[in-house]
Amino acid sequence: MAILSDYVEEEAPPPPSPPPPAAVKKQFTAELNVSNPLSFIEAALEFAAAETDLFKNYTVVNEVNEVVKKVKDKIDAAQIELKKKEEIKNMEKEKKEVKGGEGNGKSEPKTTKMEKLKEVKEEEEEEKKGLKAPNNGNGLDMDNYSWVQSLQEVTVNVPVPPGTKSRFIVCDIKKNHLKVGIKGQPPIIDGELYKPIKVDDCFWSLEDQKSISLLLTKHDQMEWWKYLVKGDPEIDTQKVEPENSKLSDLDPETRSTVEKMMFDQRQKSMGLPSSDEMQKKDILKKFMSEHPEMDFSRAKIN
């Protein structure tokens, strides 16, 4: 009788699992039209929104604004540096021309050259101080808001996403502090005001569901603000230009003070004496004419 031995068949190993499909890389095919660069940026953002989770982040608008700001700051810095180099080059060229003219016995129009040199020096001093030139409303245009001013009040404009409802607005106006933003998001403005305001005479409104407009009434209505909230860049108040049409709305005493401030600012920008200095000189001149027996050769006006 044949004996069959036990035989165990080895199981075959399972086939290897197929590798995960490689991520499909899609290419961005939009072309930049230099006459309409915004269409290129819009296409890039739409492509990113379609292919990624970028716009699922609630704070993406602020992040995109930060990227735009960094690029703009970089370009502005490069332009300022280029302008400085050109001005220095022109100054050196003008100095050589003046020296060459003196050597040839020719007279050069030095007045214009001196004025240019003075303007360049003033701009350099302002840059060292970190002062900004005011906008057309005597305020400043920031990245996420702008403000303008008169001697009596400050007007602030804060853009918000289109369709924003007033119930989502956060606006806290205090005597020395301002906070503006949208619920659930970091404040757009949150800081100590440059000067105190009259809270009872201030208000805000939502314009066309796309911007917040604030009217802040100054407590001291005889001073120009250098910034809106602490930490913002300062403006050069010497370059503030009040609208002449509004001077007629002021009472005689205030108008006289404003006109005197404007005159002194123009005099200072031209390197000329202020109204007070001119008055002192006139008084001294009159006194000298009335007392010819006195020696005024060492007289000085402080």
Side-chain angles (χ1 to χ4, degrees):
M1 181 176 66
I3 299 174
L4 299 177
S5 61
D6 295 335
Y7 175 76
V8 179
E9 183 178 359
E10 294 183 359
E11 295 183 358
S17 57
V24 179
K25 295 183 179 179
K26 295 189 177 181
Q27 294 184 346
F28 180 61
T29 58
E31 295 183 358
L32 175 61
N33 184 354
V34 293
S35 63
N36 186 18
L38 290 179
S39 63
F40 178 81
I41 297 175
E42 183 179 359
L45 292 175
E46 290 178 352
F47 178 80
E51 302 301 329
T52 69
D53 295 334
L54 175 65
F55 283 91
K56 290 184 179 180
N57 186 350
Y58 196 64
T59 61
V60 66
V61 174
N62 291 334
E63 294 174 354
V64 171
N65 287 337
E66 284 296 322
V67 173
V68 175
K69 179 179 180 298
K70 289 179 181 179
V71 175
K72 184 177 183 301
D73 290 344
K74 185 176 181 180
I75 294 174
D76 289 344
Q79 291 177 343
I80 291 173
E81 186 65 24
L82 180 62
K83 183 179 178 182
K84 279 185 178 180
K85 291 180 179 179
E86 290 178 351
E87 289 174 348
I88 293 173
K89 185 177 179 180
N90 292 334
M91 288 170 59
E92 292 176 351
K93 182 179 178 181
E94 289 174 356
K95 288 180 181 179
K96 291 179 180 179
E97 290 177 354
V98 171
K99 290 181 179 180
E102 291 174 352
N104 297 328
K106 297 179 181 179
S107 60
E108 296 286 339
K110 297 182 181 180
T111 304
T112 303
K113 292 181 173 58
M114 291 301 294
E115 290 176 352
K116 290 181 179 179
L117 293 173
K118 184 179 179 181
E119 290 176 358
V120 173
K121 185 177 180 181
E122 289 177 352
E123 290 178 359
E124 290 177 351
E125 290 177 353
E126 288 176 3
E127 289 177 1
K128 290 178 181 178
K129 295 177 182 178
L131 300 180
K132 300 284 187 179
N135 58 21
N136 294 332
N138 298 321
L140 196 61
D141 297 326
M142 306 291 290
D143 293 324
N144 48 3
Y145 71 92
S146 63
W147 62 279
V148 298
Q149 67 172 322
S150 64
L151 280 173
Q152 292 79 25
E153 58 195 27
V154 175
T155 303
V156 186
N157 183 267
V158 184
V160 293
T164 300
K165 305 294 184 181
S166 59
R167 64 177 179 271
F168 296 124
I169 301 299
V170 176
C171 190
D172 186 13
I173 303 175
K174 296 181 179 179
K175 181 179 179 180
N176 296 294
H177 193 275
L178 178 64
K179 183 178 181 180
V180 183
I182 300 176
K183 291 181 180 179
Q185 297 187 21
I188 300 173
I189 302 175
D190 187 9
E192 181 181 349
L193 292 167
Y194 177 70
K195 289 287 183 177
I197 57 176
K198 299 178 181 179
V199 179
D200 293 338
D201 296 333
C202 301
F203 63 88
W204 68 271
S205 62
L206 181 61
E207 305 293 336
D208 299 328
Q209 295 185 339
K210 61 182 181 180
S211 66
I212 307 170
S213 178
L214 299 97
L215 178 67
L216 309 178
T217 302
K218 296 179 180 179
H219 191 275
D220 180 3
Q221 301 189 347
M222 295 300 296
E223 182 180 3
W224 297 107
W225 284 20
K226 296 182 179 180
Y227 55 82
L228 179 65
V229 293
K230 190 174 181 180
D232 284 355
E234 293 188 11
I235 65 170
D236 184 1
T237 54
Q238 297 294 330
K239 293 185 177 181
V240 167
E241 297 181 359
E243 295 182 18
N244 293 328
S245 58
K246 292 185 178 181
L247 291 177
S248 58
D249 299 334
L250 304 176
D251 60 84
E253 182 178 357
T254 305
R255 177 173 179 173
S256 176
T257 303
V258 173
E259 289 176 342
K260 179 177 180 294
M261 290 169 56
M262 294 170 62
F263 175 81
D264 289 343
Q265 287 177 2
R266 287 194 297 268
Q267 292 291 100
K268 183 176 180 180
S269 65
M270 295 185 292
L272 300 175
S274 65
S275 56
D276 292 336
E277 293 171 342
M278 293 172 65
Q279 185 179 9
K280 289 179 181 179
K281 288 183 178 180
D282 291 339
I283 293 173
L284 179 59
K285 186 176 180 180
K286 182 178 179 181
F287 185 80
M288 291 171 61
S289 62
E290 293 175 352
H291 300 276
E293 72 282 0
M294 299 180 65
D295 182 12
F296 295 96
S297 59
R298 297 184 179 180
K300 293 183 179 180
I301 302 177
N302 297 324

mmCIF file of all heavy atoms in Angstrom, residues 5 76 84 162 193 201 267:
data_model
loop_
_atom_site.group_PDB
_atom_site.id
_atom_site.type_symbol
_atom_site.label_atom_id
_atom_site.label_comp_id
_atom_site.label_asym_id
_atom_site.label_seq_id
_atom_site.Cartn_x
_atom_site.Cartn_y
_atom_site.Cartn_z
ATOM 1 N N SER A 5 2.854 11.040 1.580
ATOM 2 C CA SER A 5 3.387 11.946 2.625
ATOM 3 C C SER A 5 2.626 13.265 2.600
ATOM 4 O O SER A 5 2.104 13.680 1.568
ATOM 5 C CB SER A 5 4.886 12.182 2.370
ATOM 6 O OG SER A 5 5.068 12.795 1.114
ATOM 7 N N ASP A 76 10.293 100.730 -4.096
ATOM 8 C CA ASP A 76 10.443 102.129 -3.662
ATOM 9 C C ASP A 76 11.853 102.396 -3.170
ATOM 10 O O ASP A 76 12.442 103.439 -3.471
ATOM 11 C CB ASP A 76 9.430 102.443 -2.554
ATOM 12 C CG ASP A 76 8.004 102.502 -3.078
ATOM 13 O OD1 ASP A 76 7.842 102.601 -4.311
ATOM 14 O OD2 ASP A 76 7.068 102.464 -2.262
ATOM 15 N N LYS A 84 18.931 109.040 -5.585
ATOM 16 C CA LYS A 84 20.061 109.612 -4.849
ATOM 17 C C LYS A 84 21.335 109.596 -5.692
ATOM 18 O O LYS A 84 22.074 110.581 -5.748
ATOM 19 C CB LYS A 84 20.296 108.820 -3.558
ATOM 20 C CG LYS A 84 19.368 109.189 -2.418
ATOM 21 C CD LYS A 84 19.779 108.422 -1.179
ATOM 22 C CE LYS A 84 18.911 108.783 -0.005
ATOM 23 N NZ LYS A 84 19.314 108.040 1.228
ATOM 24 N N PRO A 162 -15.900 94.005 -0.183
ATOM 25 C CA PRO A 162 -17.221 94.402 -0.681
ATOM 26 C C PRO A 162 -18.326 93.520 -0.106
ATOM 27 O O PRO A 162 -18.164 92.304 0.019
ATOM 28 C CB PRO A 162 -17.094 94.214 -2.197
ATOM 29 C CG PRO A 162 -15.626 94.341 -2.473
ATOM 30 C CD PRO A 162 -14.943 93.757 -1.281
ATOM 31 N N LEU A 193 -3.907 107.593 19.601
ATOM 32 C CA LEU A 193 -4.004 108.711 18.673
ATOM 33 C C LEU A 193 -2.891 109.730 18.927
ATOM 34 O O LEU A 193 -2.351 109.827 20.036
ATOM 35 C CB LEU A 193 -5.367 109.399 18.805
ATOM 36 C CG LEU A 193 -6.573 108.565 18.345
ATOM 37 C CD1 LEU A 193 -7.862 109.211 18.825
ATOM 38 C CD2 LEU A 193 -6.579 108.429 16.833
ATOM 39 N N ASP A 201 -18.188 114.368 19.381
ATOM 40 C CA ASP A 201 -18.295 114.978 18.056
ATOM 41 C C ASP A 201 -17.689 114.095 16.969
ATOM 42 O O ASP A 201 -17.394 114.570 15.869
ATOM 43 C CB ASP A 201 -17.602 116.350 18.046
ATOM 44 C CG ASP A 201 -18.279 117.342 18.979
ATOM 45 O OD1 ASP A 201 -19.489 117.189 19.211
ATOM 46 O OD2 ASP A 201 -17.605 118.257 19.478
ATOM 47 N N GLN A 267 8.454 130.937 4.577
ATOM 48 C CA GLN A 267 9.715 131.620 4.852
ATOM 49 C C GLN A 267 10.805 130.629 5.252
ATOM 50 O O GLN A 267 11.948 130.730 4.797
ATOM 51 C CB GLN A 267 9.510 132.657 5.964
ATOM 52 C CG GLN A 267 8.644 133.851 5.584
ATOM 53 C CD GLN A 267 9.318 134.767 4.580
ATOM 54 O OE1 GLN A 267 9.034 134.707 3.381
ATOM 55 N NE2 GLN A 267 10.205 135.604 5.046
#
